[in-house]
Amino acid sequence: MSEQPARRSTLSRRGFLKAGGALGFAGLSAAALNLPFFDVDGVSQSAAACRAPDVSETERELIISNWTGYIDPRRAEGSTLSRFQAETGIAVTYNVDVNDNAEFYAKVKNQLGECEPIDRDMIILTDWMAARMINLGWIQPLDADRIPNVHANVIEPLRGVAWDPDFKYHAPWQSGLTGIAYNAAEVGEVGSFEELISRPDLKGRITLLSEMADTMGFMLLVTGADPENFDDDDWANAIDRMRQVVQDGQLRQIAGNNYLQQLAQGSIVACEAWSGDVIQAQYDNPDIKFVVPEEGLALWSDNMMVPNKATHQANAETWMDFYYRPEIAAKLASWVNYICPVQGAQQEMEKIDASLVDNPLIFPDAEMLSNTWDFMALTDEQQQKYEGEWADVIAG
């Protein structure tokens, strides 16, 4: 028999992104937005040389930085965090201080760039930022023998990523899909990203996401390029198309938060959207629909990593291995509503919330995942150039 499902979080990890809400265009500049768009070069380090002694055996502690709304209620009886502490004897300091990849990078770049500690044993960041930090030598290699569940249980679509194919430096925490959402009470189905940014009945009534990799990945696709393998000319065409969408008035706002509330209220009728947000919105409004665009879906992960100078790496690896137990992964997924990265969790979900077992936005099938893409890992030079141009466009 399934457990009675508890009330889930109403503030999802991705829904919290850029707490200022949505960014309009009139009268704004990149400087006024004060966004940390990689204006200072990163300083490369050697992860082998930039490490601290691991005191995990004598200090049963672990300090984590994660996104808001990205774990089941920590103080609840039987929560995954309380079970971890009880089973391992490791006391967890769990910080919800990752609000945005670029913002977090700006917060830690000086310390990590100078081989100094950031007083964290684990940080959880999105693919493109994880790749960047690994490339800079800021992330410690993991001990494969300490994380057997990770290597055994990662779902197949998340294996073999170009920037860390063998999980030497990362383990996915949760994954998600970026596609299209629309309000069926207000407008007909929006079947492609091209429709979203050009259909006359949607003019001024859509939002796109503030996360550059998501939105510009789709722009690359609609201009005939591959978001997993593109050059500066491809980028130029895509950013020009984005600029045109803004100038034509097709776009109401760039959204980092609150976009599904606007969709439910009718102030927008369609938008680029993250899968976990849509699941949560559908509990209150079944007219909110998620669409797999003709161009495909962006598949991304937020990844657990151990930064340089961490002093409790073995404890962090114990955490990773614990959350890759299928029954623990299912409990977590039942609350956060993003794609569960752990094989076997779908079967365990029967015991927790049977209504989620066949939800394709938590447990997508092979057909759905066959039409997904990820954004190419960028060099530091590309990152600074592209983020600067993106900031100019979304500032209007």
Side-chain angles (χ1 to χ4, degrees):
M1 178 180 292
S2 298
E3 297 176 6
Q4 186 68 23
R7 185 180 66 84
R8 296 177 183 83
S9 168
T10 57
L11 181 61
S12 77
R13 163 260 189 267
R14 288 273 171 168
F16 189 76
L17 187 64
K18 296 209 183 300
L23 306 177
F25 301 112
L28 292 179
S29 67
L33 291 172
N34 195 29
L35 298 177
F37 283 115
F38 304 103
D39 54 343
V40 178
D41 287 340
V43 178
S44 295
Q45 292 291 338
S46 165
C50 190
R51 59 182 302 128
D54 190 344
V55 296
S56 293
E57 288 192 16
T58 56
E59 293 184 4
R60 306 299 286 163
E61 301 172 8
L62 177 62
I63 305 174
I64 298 173
S65 282
N66 203 352
W67 304 73
T68 295
Y70 224 18
I71 195 170
D72 53 306
R74 288 168 278 154
R75 295 180 178 83
E77 184 178 354
S79 71
T80 60
L81 189 148
S82 65
R83 286 182 60 180
F84 173 81
Q85 293 186 133
E87 289 185 23
T88 66
I90 297 170
V92 178
T93 301
Y94 185 95
N95 301 292
V96 289
D97 56 350
V98 182
N99 298 325
D100 175 80
N101 287 287
E103 177 188 287
F104 192 81
Y105 170 90
K107 187 159 50 177
V108 301
K109 66 184 178 185
N110 291 338
Q111 297 99 308
L112 291 176
E114 295 294 332
C115 192
E116 296 175 355
I118 61 170
D119 300 323
R120 299 291 187 272
D121 301 303
M122 181 186 294
I123 56 178
I124 298 175
L125 299 170
T126 309
D127 292 327
W128 63 274
M129 180 56 76
R132 184 166 195 253
M133 287 194 168
I134 291 168
N135 184 57
L136 287 168
W138 291 358
I139 302 300
Q140 288 292 304
L142 302 171
D143 185 342
D145 291 338
R146 291 184 178 273
I147 53 171
N149 287 334
V150 172
H151 287 275
N153 293 338
V154 176
I155 60 175
E156 195 61 36
L158 300 183
R159 294 178 182 268
V161 294
W163 46 273
D164 186 25
D166 301 318
F167 303 109
K168 185 177 180 180
Y169 295 97
H170 86 288
W173 171 249
Q174 294 287 279
S175 298
L177 299 166
T178 308
I180 293 171
Y182 72 98
N183 188 333
E186 301 286 341
V187 72
E189 179 174 333
V190 182
S192 71
F193 206 82
E194 176 65 42
E195 277 189 58
L196 183 68
I197 62 174
S198 64
R199 221 169 76 181
D201 64 320
L202 305 179
K203 186 172 183 177
R205 307 171 77 194
I206 72 165
T207 59
L208 300 178
L209 294 168
S210 59
E211 190 91 346
M212 182 192 78
D214 284 319
T215 298
M216 288 308 299
F218 278 111
M219 289 297 173
L220 285 158
L221 284 165
V222 299
T223 53
D226 180 356
E228 295 184 328
N229 184 19
F230 61 91
D231 58 23
D232 284 351
D233 289 338
D234 296 326
W235 171 266
N237 291 334
I239 200 74
D240 283 347
R241 182 64 188 274
M242 178 68 193
R243 188 175 290 108
Q244 194 63 53
V245 171
V246 173
Q247 292 173 352
D248 288 348
Q250 185 76 7
L251 183 61
R252 178 184 176 91
Q253 289 173 314
I254 289 288
N257 185 33
N258 205 36
Y259 64 97
L260 284 175
Q261 289 91 328
Q262 295 180 68
L263 190 63
Q265 294 163 1
S267 55
I268 63 170
V269 295
C271 59
E272 184 184 13
W274 288 303
S275 55
D277 287 355
V278 174
I279 294 175
Q280 294 188 13
Q282 288 172 335
Y283 293 135
D284 298 321
N285 188 341
D287 287 325
I288 304 300
K289 309 296 183 183
F290 187 81
V291 174
V292 178
E294 291 177 9
E295 296 87 356
L297 292 160
L299 174 64
W300 49 265
S301 295
D302 291 318
N303 305 285
M304 298 179 279
M305 300 180 294
V306 176
N308 288 352
K309 291 291 186 174
T311 56
H312 305 98
Q313 176 164 337
N315 292 344
E317 290 161 342
T318 299
W319 171 280
M320 294 179 188
D321 206 58
F322 176 84
Y323 275 92
Y324 267 76
R325 287 162 41 180
E327 72 276 14
I328 300 299
K331 173 82 169 179
L332 179 63
S334 73
W335 274 85
V336 301
N337 293 161
Y338 279 96
I339 292 176
C340 180
V342 180
Q343 294 181 35
Q346 188 169 16
Q347 291 76 15
E348 291 294 329
M349 188 65 82
E350 289 277 5
K351 306 170 188 175
I352 298 170
D353 187 346
S355 71
L356 298 179
V357 170
D358 295 319
N359 192 313
L361 299 185
I362 299 176
F363 302 109
D365 60 23
E367 180 180 359
M368 189 175 195
L369 291 175
S370 68
N371 194 24
T372 59
W373 51 268
D374 194 7
F375 196 77
M376 182 177 79
L378 304 177
T379 66
D380 261 18
E381 182 180 335
Q382 288 172 318
Q383 191 77 55
Q384 292 177 49
K385 171 180 167 58
Y386 296 167
E387 286 278 7
E389 293 177 358
W390 167 251
D392 287 343
V393 170
I394 67 173

